[in-house]
Amino acid sequence: MSKAFGPTEALIDVDFDLHAGEIHALVGQNGSGKSTLVKILAGVHDSDGGSIAMDGEEFDPRRPGEARLRGLRFVHQDLGLVDSLDVVENLALGRGYDVRFPRRISWRHERRQAHAALTDLGYDLDVRSLVGSLRASERTGIAIARALDGWESAARLLVLDEPTASLPEAEVARLFDVVRTIRARGVGVIYVSHHLDEVLAIADRVTILRDGARVGTFAAEDLDHDRMVELIVGRGAAGSGEQSVSPARDPASPGAPSEYEPSLIVEDLSGVVLRGVSLRVGAGEIVGVAGLTGSGREELGPALFGAAGRSGSVSVAGRVVPADRPDLAIEAGLGFVPADRKSVGLVASMVVRENVTLADLRPYVRGGLLRHRAERSDVDTWLGLLDVRPRDQTLGTMRLSGGNQQKVLLARWLRIRPRMLVLDEPTQGVDVGAKAEIHRRIVAAAHDGAGVLVCSTDTAELVRVCDRVLVMQRGGIGAELVGRDISEERIDRLCLS
């Protein structure tokens, strides 16, 4: 199987096979090709070459309903559940309801069927409960039960994509029991995970991908944790002991948090995955946050800003920022660039000027009226500083390239001169030129006295700009690297620990 996105080769002649009644783990770093392979199986992406066959018969999953007809079932990381619906209604999504005469839903039959499906997997739930009120393991069980609906006659293959990403450790064992029950029925399971200890505990075989290519397929009993890390990272991994790119920061610059005045203080922060996270970022310091999917890295930025629920204490420059209040976070001087700029960062219906000034219009208001001349002048300055092209503030923001959209979003927060700037995947999906410019602006913000927190899966980016790097593991901070100790290989190995 091969797949390229422009010049990026996501899969390069990858072979993969699955036996009936087998748990086959698919592992690799972020960007290794795991998600691309799963999306080709699901019919989301078309392949550039290769073939897919079930029982020796080739088929095309891009044809509507073909993957399901062939017995392929998927449980994606976000589960695809609707919190405001109950268990019965969530199980009926996709297949519909049992309708009896005269065209009425037989709720008694639906509840009985839902209860039987969950009991069969070892769950004892009130199927009238709203899904949003259930524990993480119970929600995962509902998603699996829905995927296996009618498995006796149809389901042949189940893909579990990071199924334990949001599960507390105590609930992982329960999920494993469910997966083993499914295997015993003869269903093949593709288990995608970053958690290597889990893979060794549950898998029969393991396929390792690196940079879009298959490193090899191994019996799980022939592997241990250290050997898997070596195969995933590679002996010749960039950055083995050295920084792999020319640093934007002086690597000899101070890195100890005590050498900075505190800009951000976080104590005992907890959320869905986060548990008891405490950290400090100094004024003028750039701190990176690394971590695999499900480690808590992707939850940290939204939780600090108030865009995701949390407990614990967050303060910016001595001012406490309450949970669930992005407006008060902004007032305290916290700016946040989210990972998904199109959905939760930029407002698609607004022009460039409006997106840049959205965070604070007060400097342009006099007597209750907006002074457009002052606003336009300020925006023009920022478009110039970040080299946004075209430099047209009346243009619809979505008409810009991805890199220029990201610069507009960054300009929004740099313009208010934040005391603390939190960046989540700041250069995701941008070209090399835009990435270099964004890195320069991050460093310039720190030089101007802002504290900067960079949450990123791009280890080369963290090496390039950060004074310190915190490595997230299972919802907490598992390790810290400072100054010259920061390298791509060290970050990658710690993420996999």
Side-chain angles (χ1 to χ4, degrees):
M1 190 64 61
S2 296
K3 178 66 178 177
F5 298 95
T8 302
E9 291 187 288
L11 289 176
I12 308 168
D13 295 326
V14 170
D15 295 331
F16 183 86
D17 64 88
L18 177 72
H19 303 156
E22 175 193 37
I23 300 173
H24 193 147
L26 186 62
V27 301
Q29 293 176 277
N30 294 318
S32 63
K34 305 187 305 297
S35 295
T36 301
L37 184 59
V38 168
K39 287 178 180 178
I40 289 174
L41 287 175
V44 176
H45 294 324
D46 197 3
S47 66
D48 296 333
S51 63
I52 302 173
M54 181 72 76
D55 295 329
E57 183 179 344
E58 291 190 13
F59 68 98
D60 181 4
R62 290 279 289 177
R63 288 199 294 265
E66 186 72 11
R68 185 168 184 85
L69 180 66
R70 298 282 179 165
L72 279 68
R73 302 290 188 268
F74 299 84
V75 176
H76 298 287
Q77 186 178 335
D78 64 2
L79 301 183
L81 302 175
V82 181
D83 287 350
S84 58
L85 299 181
D86 65 23
V87 175
V88 172
E89 291 165 326
N90 270 280
L91 289 176
L93 288 174
R95 67 165 169 79
Y97 295 96
D98 180 32
V99 178
R100 305 289 177 90
F101 180 83
R103 308 183 87 178
R104 292 180 181 273
I105 296 172
S106 174
W107 290 108
R108 180 178 297 177
H109 176 76
E110 289 290 342
R111 285 192 288 269
R112 188 165 55 245
Q113 190 176 28
H115 187 267
L118 289 165
T119 301
D120 205 27
L121 293 176
Y123 292 91
D124 183 17
L125 301 176
D126 182 352
V127 296
R128 294 168 294 187
S129 302
L130 293 181
V131 165
S133 68
L134 300 177
R135 297 202 312 268
S137 63
E138 294 169 335
R139 291 164 54 83
T140 301
I142 292 167
I144 293 174
R146 185 174 65 189
L148 291 176
D149 181 46
W151 70 271
E152 299 92 338
S153 59
R156 306 288 308 286
L157 182 159
L158 176 65
V159 179
L160 296 174
D161 190 359
E162 296 289 348
T164 64
S166 60
L167 290 185
E169 270 188 73
E171 299 188 9
V172 172
R174 183 177 187 183
L175 175 66
F176 280 7
D177 288 340
V178 173
V179 175
R180 292 186 180 107
T181 298
I182 295 166
R183 174 178 59 184
R185 295 171 175 173
V187 176
V189 179
I190 298 177
Y191 189 91
V192 183
S193 180
H194 288 300
H195 300 308
L196 304 189
D197 291 337
E198 290 180 8
V199 168
L200 292 171
I202 192 71
D204 300 305
R205 288 192 296 158
V206 180
T207 289
I208 296 173
L209 299 182
R210 185 171 68 236
D211 298 329
R214 184 173 73 97
V215 175
T217 297
F218 309 87
E221 61 189 16
D222 294 335
L223 297 171
D224 58 25
H225 186 279
D226 290 343
R227 176 61 176 154
M228 286 181 71
V229 170
E230 181 180 290
L231 290 166
I232 291 168
V233 176
R235 291 183 182 276
S240 53
E242 300 294 334
Q243 292 182 333
S244 60
V245 292
S246 175
R249 294 277 271 178
D250 175 6
S253 63
S258 60
E259 297 179 21
Y260 297 90
E261 289 295 323
S263 181
L264 173 72
I265 299 177
V266 178
E267 300 287 348
D268 199 27
L269 186 73
S270 296
V272 176
V273 177
L274 294 172
R275 50 179 181 82
V277 171
S278 298
L279 61 90
R280 293 190 176 208
V281 179
E285 183 185 25
I286 304 177
V287 176
V289 179
L292 300 173
T293 302
S295 65
R297 182 209 71 249
E298 60 268 49
E299 188 183 358
L300 182 59
L304 294 175
F305 187 63
R310 62 162 169 87
S311 61
S313 171
V314 176
S315 63
V316 175
R319 179 170 174 175
V320 175
V321 179
D324 304 314
R325 291 295 302 271
D327 57 330
L328 296 183
I330 295 171
E331 281 191 19
L334 193 154
F336 175 52
V337 175
D340 188 349
R341 60 177 171 266
K342 290 187 177 180
S343 297
V344 294
L346 298 167
V347 181
S349 60
M350 288 184 173
V351 299
V352 169
R353 183 189 69 253
E354 293 167 324
N355 266 296
V356 170
T357 60
L358 181 63
D360 186 11
L361 287 167
R362 289 173 297 182
Y364 317 124
V365 175
R366 293 291 185 274
L369 298 175
L370 185 63
R371 296 163 58 239
H372 289 289
R373 181 179 296 179
E375 182 190 21
R376 285 193 295 267
S377 176
D378 199 11
V379 171
D380 189 60
T381 297
W382 280 103
L383 297 184
L385 285 171
L386 276 87
D387 193 27
V388 176
R389 301 181 187 184
R391 195 167 159 178
D392 181 358
Q393 56 184 273
T394 66
L395 196 65
T397 310
M398 295 300 118
R399 295 178 61 186
L400 299 178
S401 68
N404 284 292
Q405 289 176 16
Q406 192 72 357
K407 290 178 185 179
V408 167
L409 188 54
L410 187 58
R412 174 192 297 168
W413 297 110
L414 292 177
R415 181 190 140 262
I416 67 172
R417 302 194 181 280
R419 295 182 176 90
M420 184 67 215
L421 183 60
V422 178
L423 306 164
D424 196 354
E425 301 289 6
T427 59
Q428 182 173 259
V430 306
D431 61 41
V432 174
K435 177 180 284 192
E437 182 58 42
I438 290 169
H439 286 169
R440 280 193 289 271
R441 298 316 307 180
I442 291 172
V443 172
H447 284 165
D448 288 343
V452 183
L453 191 71
V454 182
C455 305
S456 179
T457 53
D458 185 341
T459 52
E461 176 167 76
L462 299 177
V463 171
R464 182 174 179 79
V465 303
C466 295
D467 303 305
R468 288 189 292 136
V469 174
L470 309 175
V471 180
M472 301 290 294
Q473 299 168 349
R474 291 193 172 277
I477 297 174
E480 178 181 11
L481 297 171
V482 180
R484 293 186 182 277
D485 290 335
I486 301 170
S487 72
E488 288 187 58
E489 186 186 29
R490 289 193 182 99
I491 294 171
D492 289 339
R493 287 184 178 276
L494 287 168
C495 285
L496 291 165
S497 295

